[in-house]
Amino acid sequence: LQETFDAGLKLLPRSSVAQLVRLALRATAAAAMRAFGPEGVKAYNLYAVEKLATNVAVIERFASRWGVASLADELAEPNQLCRLLLSSKLEDILDPQLRRQRYPALELPVVAAALDKYRELPQQAKRQPGWPAKKAVDAVAKQLRAQLASGTAGMRPQDDA
């Protein structure tokens, strides 16, 4: 990315390159989120989420070097999904106020779909005691789908106000 955008700076005005960087980050975030969707991976474990979180952090650092306001915000959705999945309080997504505070970029149907694809690894509880068990993930997914079906959860957290 760096080489591409450096070359762009030589050929294009800075504002055009900034827009190009923004669009590239937006496309990168969308690709990461598609991995959790119907056409994405069949299943994942939290080691994959850790790797994705690391990659998103690297891209965020790259974005911060460009000095363009709110550029890293383009990665908010995959960043927040990784934070949620790696948190020890997965059930926070069920609370509208906590969703608005901690996960404002997440669309709830996407979260529910991601939770459905989670697979626990054998011996995971011993190696990573803070990670949720499949049973807990399924319970949160079931409650989230119930909220979506009953209309008590908005499509985006800010809709719950």
Side-chain angles (χ1 to χ4, degrees), residues 47-109:
Y47 289 109
V49 176
E50 275 188 330
K51 182 65 176 168
L52 178 59
T54 299
N55 290 340
V56 169
V58 167
I59 296 169
E60 283 179 327
R61 284 191 299 277
F62 167 78
S64 69
R65 291 195 310 251
W66 281 86
V68 177
S70 70
L71 192 57
D73 291 349
E74 299 299 337
L75 299 164
E77 194 174 12
N79 184 340
Q80 290 175 20
L81 183 60
C82 290
R83 272 197 349 251
L84 172 67
L85 295 173
L86 293 170
S87 78
S88 61
K89 296 194 176 209
L90 192 58
E91 64 279 358
D92 285 355
I93 196 68
L94 300 172
D95 182 311
Q97 184 176 4
L98 291 176
R99 273 199 313 266
R100 275 191 294 279
Q101 291 172 357
R102 297 179 185 164
Y103 310 109
L106 292 181
E107 294 183 21
L108 299 182

Side-chain angles (χ1 to χ4, degrees), residues 8-148:
L9 278 172
K10 293 175 185 173
L11 301 171
L12 300 168
R14 176 135 174 100
S15 61
S16 295
V17 174
Q19 185 62 21
L20 181 64
V21 172
R22 184 175 301 284
L23 292 172
L25 292 179
R26 193 173 294 158
T28 301
M33 294 307 294
R34 276 193 306 275
F36 294 99
E39 301 299 317
V41 297
K42 291 183 183 198
Y44 68 91
N45 60 48
L46 290 180
Y47 289 109
V49 176
E50 275 188 330
K51 182 65 176 168
L52 178 59
T54 299
N55 290 340
V56 169
V58 167
I59 296 169
E60 283 179 327
R61 284 191 299 277
F62 167 78
S64 69
R65 291 195 310 251
W66 281 86
V68 177
S70 70
L71 192 57
D73 291 349
E74 299 299 337
L75 299 164
E77 194 174 12
N79 184 340
Q80 290 175 20
L81 183 60
C82 290
R83 272 197 349 251
L84 172 67
L85 295 173
L86 293 170
S87 78
S88 61
K89 296 194 176 209
L90 192 58
E91 64 279 358
D92 285 355
I93 196 68
L94 300 172
D95 182 311
Q97 184 176 4
L98 291 176
R99 273 199 313 266
R100 275 191 294 279
Q101 291 172 357
R102 297 179 185 164
Y103 310 109
L106 292 181
E107 294 183 21
L108 299 182
V110 173
V111 174
L115 294 176
D116 289 339
K117 292 183 173 198
Y118 172 68
R119 299 296 177 260
E120 183 177 23
L121 294 171
Q123 304 295 319
Q124 177 177 300
K126 291 179 183 175
R127 292 186 202 133
Q128 299 288 349
W131 284 1
K134 176 67 174 153
K135 188 174 179 179
V137 171
D138 289 344
V140 170
K142 182 178 178 180
Q143 290 176 44
L144 186 57
R145 282 191 302 280
Q147 283 184 9
L148 287 166

